[in-house]
Amino acid sequence: MTALGETARDMARVLRGRGFAAAAFDGREGALEHLFGLIPPNSRVGLGGSMTLAELGVVDRLRAGPYRLIDRYAAASWAETMAAYREALLSEVFVTGVNAITRAGELVCIDSSGNRVAAMIFGPERVIIVAGVNKIVADLEGAFARLRRIAPLNCRRLGHATPCAETGACVDCLIPERMCNYTGIIHHGLKEKDRIHVILLAEELGY
Ligand code: SF4
């Protein structure tokens, strides 16, 4: 077993102890097989914005498969995007990435619109989170530091006209274009045990 594989397995063990269903994989093939095994055919599937899912080709497979995908990326206008976000809140399965996972097993995300954080916390019957080991941080302080580090990258990628998109450094802007609007912490999964599945991969994915 590789060192990254061991890290992923340790993390999965911690997450299971906090009421999440969690599994670790050394390779993408096994992880994807597990992921699609958790999505019943014909399910209404919602998506959270995620570079990890894009890197793994998950969105394309959901489009091609026997699923009723709520395709937020096919929206032709902001109104349609918001409609997809709202619909995804009542999806049967919500598939997403995550911004940070603490060593203690807390899941931390930051959103521009809040749709991902909201769906992870309540609404969809099942939530599936896919994460590389690069998302693992020591504690909540480390998670917030990670959020500040990655948010400028996302601003640049998504074309948000923020100071950090230019400089790469957060200045805690207070402008309408700000992307860091909603931070969600899922402390544990015990309220609805095994509703949230975490799939950990022994590699770096997304940011
Ligand atoms: S708060 Fe503003 S400046 Fe800081 S990372 Fe977020 S969008 Fe960029």
Side-chain angles (χ1 to χ4, degrees), residues 147-148 151-152 155 162-165 169-173 177-180:
L147 299 185
R148 277 193 300 277
C155 284
T162 56
C164 66
C170 175
V171 292
D172 197 16
C173 66
E177 294 81 5
R178 178 178 168 124
M179 213 177 145
C180 312

Side-chain angles (χ1 to χ4, degrees), residues 44-66:
R44 200 84 182 119
V45 180
L47 289 171
S50 164
M51 285 298 288
T52 297
L53 297 183
E55 284 174 28
L56 293 173
V58 170
V59 179
D60 289 338
R61 278 184 64 169
L62 284 169
R63 284 188 184 122

